[in-house]
Amino acid sequence: MATLLELVAQKEQLEREIESTRKSERDAAIAQVRSLMGEYGLSLSDLGTKSAAAKTGGRKAGATKGSKVPAKYRDASNGDTWSGRGLQPKWLKAAMQSGKTLQDFAI
């Protein structure tokens, strides 16, 4: 039976071989695709593919994710605000249960 160190060394060797084989097969596939595209006079637009920038109108996907949104609602008594996105905050729910409307807090 092999020791732990021997097995780890074998694993590292296999991972290097896997990466080497992946790169060589990928390079071969790219060469084959380029050859076929040249043979048939094809371009990327003929394949119906578009870059990520073209699909999103020139901006990166998720470019606005996490950005701050201006507040739409404010509690005048303590200054708490809510942008109108996500779950309603507790202060707003409590106020609405007491009979106020969302418009009462609009900024």
Side-chain angles (χ1 to χ4, degrees), residues 25-47:
E25 288 184 4
R26 182 179 185 274
D27 291 344
I30 290 171
Q32 183 179 5
V33 168
R34 285 185 176 160
S35 172
L36 288 171
M37 289 176 73
E39 182 179 338
Y40 291 97
L42 300 173
S43 67
L44 287 178
S45 62
D46 293 328
L47 300 177

